[in-house]
Amino acid sequence: GTKGIATARLDCDEDIESSKKLFQFYKKKNITLSLAVVTELLKDKKNRSFLSKLKNLSNILLSHSKTHRPNWGGNFIAAKWEAEEARNDIYRYFKIVCDFAVAPFHHAPPYAIKALEVNKYKGLVAGIINNDPYILIARSGKSIYSEKIISLSQQCMIHGDILKTNEDLKRYYEIID
């Protein structure tokens, strides 16, 4: 019965701890926010420290691959490694089995979806930029490339580099409201 839904996610491509203030702001507003983490960044203790203090981390944390390479590394073997190592890192550091991934650079080639399936992920969040046209025309749900992967293509995203004035975000706020 819902016409649409807005979800909020921070992509931690270059640093995780830097999302702390914005994450806390959303929490004070009682707005659910997820964190997509490039797990190579977990080697840095400050990034792990911030995440380890969060309640319900298993409901917040998403894999954003191991190293955030375009097209998941360019082939099935590389994509399988990216997905597997990211999942292993999250388990190694937090004892959480991560079931959902966010596509690096919004890339969701069929071999990457198969690599996620092999690694027992349940879902993939991709985006509209550089995405497979078949995913864009499909509704959210089972991926056309896998019976076991749920696919979601997010149609609107705000990058930090778009903000030039406070007015730049006005239309996004209106849409979300």
Side-chain angles (χ1 to χ4, degrees), residues 103 106-107 125-132 135-136 152-155:
H106 314 261
H107 297 162
V125 179
I128 61 172
I129 301 170
N130 296 314
N131 206 340
D132 186 307
I135 293 174
L136 293 178
L152 168 66
S153 184
Q154 291 190 323
Q155 300 301 312

Side-chain angles (χ1 to χ4, degrees), residues 27-42:
K27 186 175 179 180
K28 284 180 188 175
K29 299 285 185 182
N30 201 26
I31 298 172
T32 302
L33 184 71
S34 60
L35 298 171
V37 174
V38 173
T39 65
E40 186 73 11
L41 299 174
L42 294 174

